[in-house]
Amino acid sequence: MIPSIPQPRALRAAYVAYVAVFFILLALPLVVVAAFAFNDSQFPSLPWEGFTWGWFFGSERPMIGAFHERGILRAIGTSAFVAVGVSVLAVAVGLSNAFLFNRYRFRGQGILYIFMLLPLVVPGIVLGISILVFSSRVANGLWDMAQWDVEALRPGLTLVILGQFSFIATIATLVIAARLQKFDRSLEEAAMNLGAGRLVAVRTVTLPYLTPALIGAFVVAFLMSFENFNTTLMLVGSDAPLTIAMFDRLKEGSTPLLNAVSLLLMLGSSLLALVMIAFQRK
């Protein structure tokens, strides 16, 4: 733990070996999935039948690629729509929460903060079932009392967005609050001394400082929403996001098409992460 203290060579070698084995075990499943996306076979397994781009660009059966499979493309669009909605809501509420817990002190603040963190420790499938049961009872009660059929309370994209938002907003709050705690409030006071109002000072001084955190929170929320499965499975309707569509296809039998889609997801996630890192460094 103290780098300046000399360490035995055997201990250093064991540490390097441990780190190497850790990253190999972490990356090996991803490498296998990516490799079989190029297998010229109907099954993502050995033996290797040859290299092909068909599972990406193929347009004729039995090898229809990811860029020509309408069901997959429709599911990607649905996932993107849900992810953008969840990300916008999570960043907006996360920004408000960060100011609330950082700038104000009030009775019950600690309990409220714990309640905010609870969705992170509740299993996603339990969270999805709870939201589904609650919304269904409210919808059924409205129908019994006033004959109102509220579609937003039935399984569908609205419930998916609300279900994912319920725990992703917490993560966005933590990301934004971590940067807000480092902000020097004397900069806001200086702006107000020069004639700016409180809202103008926040808009012109604080928000530009928080911009990297806001973008980082948006990217994290987008990726978590796009790849969420457990909560989405309980709340989805007829419009299935990508993870649910892939799960349904996997039940029918796996093909290298799923490997190709998984590889595209890995590349997309890595690209977004690199863009976020580059922006924060800039």
Side-chain angles (χ1 to χ4, degrees):
M1 296 179 63
I2 304 178
S4 59
I5 299 179
Q7 299 292 336
R9 182 175 299 178
L11 181 60
R12 287 182 296 176
Y15 176 75
V16 172
Y18 167 78
V19 173
V21 171
F22 173 79
F23 281 103
I24 289 174
L25 293 178
L26 184 66
L28 187 60
L30 303 179
V31 172
V32 172
V33 169
F36 282 106
F38 302 96
N39 189 18
D40 191 8
S41 172
Q42 294 296 310
F43 304 99
S45 60
L46 295 173
W48 182 263
E49 301 292 343
F51 183 88
T52 182
W53 289 97
W55 295 112
F56 293 91
F57 304 105
S59 57
E60 297 180 358
R61 292 190 180 278
M63 191 176 290
I64 298 180
F67 293 105
H68 291 89
E69 180 60 52
R70 293 183 179 180
I72 293 296
L73 296 177
R74 190 182 307 111
I76 292 175
T78 302
S79 291
F81 173 79
V82 171
V84 170
V86 171
S87 301
V88 171
L89 291 175
V91 171
V93 174
L95 180 62
S96 301
N97 290 344
F99 274 95
L100 175 65
F101 291 112
N102 183 263
R103 297 290 180 87
Y104 300 96
R105 295 294 179 266
F106 52 90
R107 182 177 299 178
Q109 184 181 29
I111 297 177
L112 189 61
Y113 190 81
I114 292 175
F115 283 158
M116 184 193 70
L117 297 177
L118 278 180
L120 296 182
V121 298
V122 176
I125 192 168
V126 174
L127 186 63
I129 293 174
S130 302
I131 295 174
L132 178 62
V133 171
F134 175 77
S135 62
S136 297
R137 288 189 176 182
V138 173
N140 294 336
L142 291 175
W143 176 259
D144 294 336
M145 289 187 300
Q147 299 297 306
W148 291 348
D149 188 13
V150 183
E151 290 293 335
L153 297 177
R154 303 295 184 182
L157 294 185
T158 301
L159 274 189
V160 170
I161 292 176
L162 292 177
Q164 294 183 2
F165 163 78
S166 64
F167 68 93
I168 294 179
T170 302
I171 299 174
T173 300
L174 297 177
V175 172
I176 299 172
R179 185 166 178 83
L180 183 60
Q181 288 179 350
K182 301 177 183 178
F183 179 71
D184 186 1
R185 296 190 64 179
S186 63
L187 297 177
E188 285 184 5
E189 296 174 358
M192 289 187 289
N193 289 337
L194 294 174
R198 180 173 295 275
L199 292 180
V200 174
V202 171
R203 179 174 58 84
T204 58
V205 178
T206 310
L207 290 183
Y209 176 82
L210 293 177
T211 298
L214 295 175
I215 295 177
F218 185 91
V219 172
V220 171
F222 185 92
L223 292 177
M224 292 194 66
S225 172
F226 200 93
E227 299 175 0
N228 180 262
F229 175 76
N230 291 340
T231 305
T232 304
L233 180 63
M234 296 295 102
L235 303 174
V236 71
S238 58
D239 297 323
L242 181 60
T243 52
I244 306 302
M246 294 178 65
F247 176 69
D248 292 338
R249 297 211 171 205
L250 185 61
K251 291 188 295 184
E252 299 174 358
S254 178
T255 68
L257 173 64
L258 300 182
N259 296 64
V261 175
S262 301
L263 178 57
L264 293 176
L265 287 177
M266 287 187 281
L267 294 177
S269 302
S270 302
L271 181 60
L272 282 177
L274 291 175
V275 169
M276 182 180 66
I277 294 173
F279 181 83
Q280 290 180 341
R281 288 184 176 180
K282 180 179 179 181

